[in-house]
Amino acid sequence: MKKFNIKFIPLIIVGVLAVLLLSIFSVNIIVNKINSDSQKASETNARNRLYNILSLASNEKENNSQYNSENFLTNFLTSNGLIVNDNIISLDNWNFEIDRENLNISNTLVPAK
């Protein structure tokens, strides 16, 4: 029977640690990619929902003689479940800046906390 050479133990340990580190790094990359894709999908869904609500507001603007871009629009947006702070609209943990006169999204801001 051949005797095991003790010199190989550090190499085996380094090899096992390298495989573990690569596995952890790979999992971290995959999780970050999933989170990024999920965040993009969340923003897209919120943006589409806001776009639809602004389209409804546009219809109101055309058909309602009482319409004005300040009070009516703020009440309309809040009645649709949005949080309104001047031109900043919070929806599904996202903040959007809107153009009240043209009823469109002018900017996506950092996610709400």
Side-chain angles (χ1 to χ4, degrees):
M1 192 162 147
K2 217 173 187 177
K3 193 174 179 183
F4 183 73
N5 192 344
I6 202 159
K7 292 178 186 177
F8 292 116
I9 292 178
L11 290 175
I12 293 172
I13 292 173
V14 168
V16 169
L17 288 175
V19 168
L20 286 174
L21 286 173
L22 285 173
S23 298
I24 291 169
F25 183 69
S26 297
V27 167
N28 192 24
I29 289 173
I30 292 169
V31 168
N32 286 341
K33 175 72 172 143
I34 290 170
N35 286 341
S36 175
D37 289 348
S38 175
Q39 194 170 16
K40 286 177 187 174
S42 172
E43 178 190 357
T44 299
N45 289 337
R47 178 181 283 277
N48 288 340
R49 184 168 164 220
L50 178 56
Y51 177 77
N52 290 336
I53 293 170
L54 289 174
S55 293
L56 294 172
S58 180
N59 290 339
E60 285 293 321
K61 182 178 182 178
E62 292 176 15
N63 300 320
N64 188 334
S65 62
Q66 303 278 317
Y67 181 89
N68 66 51
S69 62
E70 293 301 320
N71 299 333
F72 186 90
L73 183 58
T74 297
N75 292 336
F76 185 83
L77 294 173
T78 55
S79 71
N80 280 283
L82 305 178
I83 299 169
V84 180
N85 184 7
D86 195 28
N87 291 342
I88 307 299
I89 307 299
S90 297
L91 170 65
D92 297 339
N93 295 324
W94 286 94
N95 292 325
F96 298 95
E97 184 177 10
I98 63 166
D99 177 350
R100 285 178 172 267
E101 292 303 315
N102 296 315
L103 294 173
N104 61 27
I105 301 168
S106 57
N107 196 11
T108 303
L109 306 172
V110 295
K113 298 232 176 183

Tab-separated table of all heavy atoms in Angstrom, residues 4 6 18-19 21 33 39 46 48 54 58 64 76-77 79-80 86-89 92 97 113:
chain	number	residue	atom	x	y	z
A	4	PHE	N	0.328	7.999	1.791
A	4	PHE	CA	-0.173	9.292	1.338
A	4	PHE	C	0.842	10.367	1.693
A	4	PHE	O	1.293	10.455	2.821
A	4	PHE	CB	-1.535	9.589	1.992
A	4	PHE	CG	-2.140	10.869	1.521
A	4	PHE	CD1	-2.681	10.978	0.247
A	4	PHE	CD2	-2.171	11.983	2.351
A	4	PHE	CE1	-3.241	12.152	-0.178
A	4	PHE	CE2	-2.732	13.168	1.924
A	4	PHE	CZ	-3.275	13.252	0.658
A	6	ILE	N	1.848	13.891	2.727
A	6	ILE	CA	1.246	14.984	3.487
A	6	ILE	C	1.432	16.341	2.814
A	6	ILE	O	0.702	17.290	3.119
A	6	ILE	CB	1.793	14.985	4.929
A	6	ILE	CG1	0.833	15.717	5.835
A	6	ILE	CG2	3.154	15.593	5.006
A	6	ILE	CD1	0.979	15.368	7.282
A	18	ALA	N	-10.924	27.358	-3.190
A	18	ALA	CA	-11.100	28.038	-4.473
A	18	ALA	C	-12.447	27.668	-5.098
A	18	ALA	O	-13.166	28.536	-5.599
A	18	ALA	CB	-9.957	27.700	-5.416
A	19	VAL	N	-12.807	26.406	-5.040
A	19	VAL	CA	-14.094	25.962	-5.583
A	19	VAL	C	-15.244	26.599	-4.798
A	19	VAL	O	-16.222	27.065	-5.388
A	19	VAL	CB	-14.185	24.422	-5.564
A	19	VAL	CG1	-15.602	23.949	-5.844
A	19	VAL	CG2	-13.216	23.819	-6.564
A	21	LEU	N	-15.192	29.467	-3.091
A	21	LEU	CA	-15.241	30.894	-3.398
A	21	LEU	C	-15.853	31.152	-4.774
A	21	LEU	O	-16.645	32.090	-4.950
A	21	LEU	CB	-13.852	31.515	-3.304
A	21	LEU	CG	-13.309	31.707	-1.886
A	21	LEU	CD1	-11.864	32.171	-1.933
A	21	LEU	CD2	-14.165	32.699	-1.131
A	33	LYS	N	-28.264	39.517	-10.774
A	33	LYS	CA	-28.933	39.579	-12.077
A	33	LYS	C	-30.440	39.438	-11.910
A	33	LYS	O	-31.216	40.185	-12.513
A	33	LYS	CB	-28.376	38.485	-12.992
A	33	LYS	CG	-29.068	38.364	-14.320
A	33	LYS	CD	-28.750	39.512	-15.235
A	33	LYS	CE	-29.312	39.228	-16.613
A	33	LYS	NZ	-29.834	40.390	-17.256
A	39	GLN	N	-36.132	44.396	-10.581
A	39	GLN	CA	-36.272	45.833	-10.388
A	39	GLN	C	-36.701	46.516	-11.691
A	39	GLN	O	-37.560	47.402	-11.685
A	39	GLN	CB	-34.969	46.420	-9.867
A	39	GLN	CG	-35.112	47.822	-9.336
A	39	GLN	CD	-33.863	48.291	-8.613
A	39	GLN	OE1	-32.785	47.708	-8.744
A	39	GLN	NE2	-33.994	49.345	-7.862
A	46	ALA	N	-44.805	49.806	-12.936
A	46	ALA	CA	-45.239	51.059	-12.324
A	46	ALA	C	-45.381	52.151	-13.380
A	46	ALA	O	-46.347	52.918	-13.381
A	46	ALA	CB	-44.256	51.489	-11.233
A	48	ASN	N	-46.012	51.773	-16.588
A	48	ASN	CA	-47.185	51.492	-17.416
A	48	ASN	C	-48.479	51.852	-16.688
A	48	ASN	O	-49.403	52.401	-17.290
A	48	ASN	CB	-47.212	50.027	-17.849
A	48	ASN	CG	-46.159	49.716	-18.884
A	48	ASN	OD1	-45.649	50.601	-19.567
A	48	ASN	ND2	-45.800	48.446	-18.998
A	54	LEU	N	-52.454	58.498	-16.380
A	54	LEU	CA	-52.303	59.799	-17.036
A	54	LEU	C	-53.133	59.871	-18.325
A	54	LEU	O	-53.631	60.942	-18.687
A	54	LEU	CB	-50.830	60.092	-17.329
A	54	LEU	CG	-49.962	60.397	-16.108
A	54	LEU	CD1	-48.488	60.522	-16.506
A	54	LEU	CD2	-50.437	61.649	-15.390
A	58	SER	N	-55.924	62.571	-19.141
A	58	SER	CA	-55.957	63.303	-20.408
A	58	SER	C	-57.378	63.342	-20.957
A	58	SER	O	-57.835	64.373	-21.478
A	58	SER	CB	-55.007	62.654	-21.412
A	58	SER	OG	-55.026	63.341	-22.621
A	64	ASN	N	-63.774	67.591	-19.407
A	64	ASN	CA	-64.273	68.168	-18.165
A	64	ASN	C	-63.931	69.650	-18.124
A	64	ASN	O	-62.769	70.030	-18.073
A	64	ASN	CB	-63.640	67.425	-16.968
A	64	ASN	CG	-64.233	67.829	-15.656
A	64	ASN	OD1	-64.747	68.929	-15.492
A	64	ASN	ND2	-64.147	66.923	-14.699
A	76	PHE	N	-57.422	63.655	-8.862
A	76	PHE	CA	-57.594	62.516	-9.760
A	76	PHE	C	-56.518	61.459	-9.511
A	76	PHE	O	-56.808	60.265	-9.430
A	76	PHE	CB	-57.560	62.992	-11.217
A	76	PHE	CG	-57.854	61.906	-12.207
A	76	PHE	CD1	-59.168	61.568	-12.499
A	76	PHE	CD2	-56.829	61.223	-12.835
A	76	PHE	CE1	-59.444	60.558	-13.405
A	76	PHE	CE2	-57.095	60.223	-13.741
A	76	PHE	CZ	-58.416	59.880	-14.040
A	77	LEU	N	-55.277	61.898	-9.377
A	77	LEU	CA	-54.170	60.953	-9.164
A	77	LEU	C	-54.287	60.263	-7.811
A	77	LEU	O	-54.096	59.046	-7.712
A	77	LEU	CB	-52.832	61.672	-9.299
A	77	LEU	CG	-52.496	62.213	-10.698
A	77	LEU	CD1	-51.222	63.041	-10.654
A	77	LEU	CD2	-52.403	61.108	-11.720
A	79	SER	N	-56.981	59.771	-6.100
A	79	SER	CA	-58.142	58.871	-6.113
A	79	SER	C	-57.826	57.561	-6.835
A	79	SER	O	-58.535	56.574	-6.672
A	79	SER	CB	-59.346	59.552	-6.763
A	79	SER	OG	-59.158	59.687	-8.152
A	80	ASN	N	-56.766	57.550	-7.602
A	80	ASN	CA	-56.319	56.326	-8.277
A	80	ASN	C	-55.188	55.634	-7.520
A	80	ASN	O	-54.463	54.815	-8.085
A	80	ASN	CB	-55.889	56.648	-9.707
A	80	ASN	CG	-57.071	56.763	-10.640
A	80	ASN	OD1	-57.635	55.757	-11.037
A	80	ASN	ND2	-57.477	57.978	-10.951
A	86	ASP	N	-46.479	67.484	-5.404
A	86	ASP	CA	-46.254	68.434	-6.481
A	86	ASP	C	-46.149	67.670	-7.805
A	86	ASP	O	-47.126	67.071	-8.229
A	86	ASP	CB	-45.027	69.294	-6.199
A	86	ASP	CG	-44.954	70.534	-7.082
A	86	ASP	OD1	-46.024	71.016	-7.508
A	86	ASP	OD2	-43.831	71.004	-7.340
A	87	ASN	N	-44.987	67.677	-8.462
A	87	ASN	CA	-44.823	66.969	-9.732
A	87	ASN	C	-44.223	65.578	-9.565
A	87	ASN	O	-43.938	64.906	-10.555
A	87	ASN	CB	-43.947	67.775	-10.687
A	87	ASN	CG	-44.630	69.024	-11.166
A	87	ASN	OD1	-45.845	69.151	-11.070
A	87	ASN	ND2	-43.865	69.964	-11.662
A	88	ILE	N	-44.019	65.148	-8.327
A	88	ILE	CA	-43.451	63.827	-8.050
A	88	ILE	C	-44.584	62.886	-7.661
A	88	ILE	O	-45.349	63.151	-6.733
A	88	ILE	CB	-42.399	63.878	-6.918
A	88	ILE	CG1	-41.334	64.931	-7.216
A	88	ILE	CG2	-41.792	62.496	-6.686
A	88	ILE	CD1	-40.538	64.694	-8.470
A	89	ILE	N	-44.675	61.778	-8.377
A	89	ILE	CA	-45.712	60.781	-8.137
A	89	ILE	C	-45.031	59.512	-7.641
A	89	ILE	O	-44.096	59.011	-8.265
A	89	ILE	CB	-46.491	60.460	-9.439
A	89	ILE	CG1	-47.018	61.725	-10.094
A	89	ILE	CG2	-47.592	59.454	-9.169
A	89	ILE	CD1	-47.967	62.532	-9.270
A	92	ASP	N	-45.917	52.181	-6.338
A	92	ASP	CA	-45.244	50.876	-6.210
A	92	ASP	C	-43.752	51.021	-5.891
A	92	ASP	O	-42.907	50.373	-6.509
A	92	ASP	CB	-45.418	50.046	-7.477
A	92	ASP	CG	-46.870	49.709	-7.762
A	92	ASP	OD1	-47.692	49.749	-6.828
A	92	ASP	OD2	-47.182	49.400	-8.926
A	97	GLU	N	-41.382	61.792	-12.035
A	97	GLU	CA	-41.676	63.205	-12.198
A	97	GLU	C	-42.579	63.343	-13.415
A	97	GLU	O	-42.304	62.752	-14.464
A	97	GLU	CB	-40.388	63.994	-12.408
A	97	GLU	CG	-40.588	65.474	-12.479
A	97	GLU	CD	-39.274	66.231	-12.605
A	97	GLU	OE1	-38.222	65.591	-12.823
A	97	GLU	OE2	-39.308	67.462	-12.500
A	113	LYS	N	-38.303	54.910	-0.841
A	113	LYS	CA	-37.889	54.053	0.278
A	113	LYS	C	-39.050	53.818	1.201
A	113	LYS	O	-39.963	54.515	1.325
A	113	LYS	CB	-36.759	54.710	1.029
A	113	LYS	CG	-35.575	54.880	0.115
A	113	LYS	CD	-34.351	54.344	0.665
A	113	LYS	CE	-33.271	54.483	-0.372
A	113	LYS	NZ	-32.062	54.017	-0.132
